[in-house]
Amino acid sequence: MHIPVVLITGAGIGIGRASAVAFARSGYRVILTDVLEGEGQRTAEEIIQEGGHAEFHYLDVRDTERTDSLVALVEERHGRIDAVLANAGIAHKVPLPALTDEKWNHTLDIDLGGVFRIARAAAPGMRQRGSGSVIALSSIMGVAYGWDEHVHYSAAKSGVVGLVRGLAVELAKDGIRVNGIAPGYICTAQALSEENSLGEAGLKDAAKFIPLGRTGEPEDVADVAVFLASDAARYITGQVIVVDGGLLVGRY
Ligand code: NDP
């Protein structure tokens, strides 16, 4: 019986980190990747100390060559990649007058291009084995809300929805499922940033409007990622699951 392998981008902190731990606890060998080497390495070590299987590799998701060579290395070393969690993302606050082509491209390159690159790299091996699951992080800002001073982020996260749908149809015949997760307000470095996002006070205020009465924890999203990768989700593809405590369907 082989140990299933999951590759996660941006796995050093936040949702990626929680997902790495959740996948490891579900019996996966976790390939953690991130630009944050210390955090990624530490998370891998924690998983190993818990008795799990994990290893860390540096990966900037903008880098096509490194993405391709890392996928090849993992497949050579472990024989397969069963699931990919394309999680790495940035959310920089930039008002429209300051949104240069460079800033626009930077966010699109990571938040949308990064998902595309890792999915493209992992697809041939999954296709060969006739099975696989790709999960990408969108956002409520990509499926429902507009976000002022973050139009590049909203555009990228909406782009993830289109990417998920297109890939799901293209890869379904090869036994590969492709889904997305659109988190609401989740307590991580990204959302806690005063400069770029809601910050601590903003998150506290947001909790008042969330039907389930609290902002999300990274683990709330991680468990959905594990579900989507699992056989329990075998008939789900092309979907983006909102994980927001009821925010979008609430009255406010
Ligand atoms: P965090 O900022 O906590 O973690 C994201 C990780 O991705 C960090 O380690 C970050 O490094 C890394 N990263 C950034 N750029 C790159 C890159 N070029 N290559 C590889 N890794 C990179 O974010 P969250 O855990 O909050 O978010 C995870 C995903 O979920 C993101 O795609 C985010 O947009 C999405 N999301 C989050 C929500 C929230 O409320 N937190 C809501 C909706 C969606 P560094 O810190 O150096 O940037």
Side-chain angles (χ1 to χ4, degrees):
M1 176 78 180
H2 79 273
I3 300 175
V5 178
V6 61
L7 187 153
I8 304 176
T9 65
I13 60 174
I15 293 168
R17 181 190 188 286
S19 300
V21 171
F23 271 103
R25 289 180 183 161
S26 296
Y28 283 78
R29 180 186 301 283
V30 185
I31 312 300
L32 296 98
T33 74
D34 207 320
V35 289
L36 300 179
E37 293 195 61
E39 288 82 348
Q41 196 72 56
R42 259 197 302 284
T43 306
E45 281 159 17
E46 281 168 30
I47 290 172
I48 292 165
Q49 270 164 22
E50 257 197 28
H53 303 278
E55 60 192 56
F56 173 76
H57 298 265
Y58 177 89
L59 179 66
D60 184 327
V61 297
R62 291 172 294 175
D63 188 335
T64 297
E65 218 169 281
R66 270 190 108 131
T67 301
D68 291 348
S69 62
L70 177 61
V71 165
L73 183 144
V74 172
E75 287 178 337
E76 194 187 319
R77 190 178 286 177
H78 301 298
R80 56 197 300 126
I81 296 175
D82 297 277
V84 164
L85 180 62
N87 161 80
I90 57 167
H92 291 172
K93 178 176 176 176
V94 188
L96 190 57
L99 189 53
T100 58
D101 284 3
E102 196 188 356
K103 286 183 175 157
W104 168 272
N105 289 336
H106 183 61
T107 291
L108 270 287
D109 202 13
I110 295 172
D111 290 9
L112 181 56
V115 176
F116 163 63
R117 276 181 208 99
I118 193 69
R120 179 180 57 186
M126 291 179 170
R127 184 176 271 149
Q128 230 173 28
R129 289 183 298 278
S131 73
S133 169
V134 175
I135 301 151
L137 266 295
S138 176
S139 165
I140 52 167
M141 305 305 174
V143 301
Y145 282 176
W147 197 7
D148 55 316
E149 301 183 330
H150 289 81
V151 299
H152 47 331
Y153 179 79
S154 292
K157 293 298 185 183
S158 291
V160 169
V161 178
L163 184 60
V164 160
R165 289 179 182 156
L167 284 177
V169 176
E170 185 161 342
L171 299 176
K173 63 182 177 308
D174 299 306
I176 304 167
R177 294 183 298 103
V178 185
N179 291 292
I181 301 176
Y185 298 127
I186 312 297
C187 291
T188 66
Q190 181 178 299
L192 284 163
S193 165
E194 304 287 344
E195 186 193 346
N196 288 311
S197 190
L198 271 68
E200 202 173 339
L203 276 175
K204 221 171 161 188
D205 280 351
K208 295 177 198 148
F209 302 103
I210 297 173
L212 283 181
R214 63 174 177 87
T215 48
E217 296 300 328
E219 290 74 16
D220 296 324
V221 180
D223 287 344
V224 177
V226 173
F227 161 69
L228 284 173
S230 79
D231 195 49
R234 61 192 167 276
Y235 203 53
I236 302 177
T237 197
Q239 299 303 306
V240 178
I241 312 285
V242 175
V243 182
D244 70 345
L247 182 62
L248 294 187
V249 296
R251 270 191 308 130
Y252 299 100

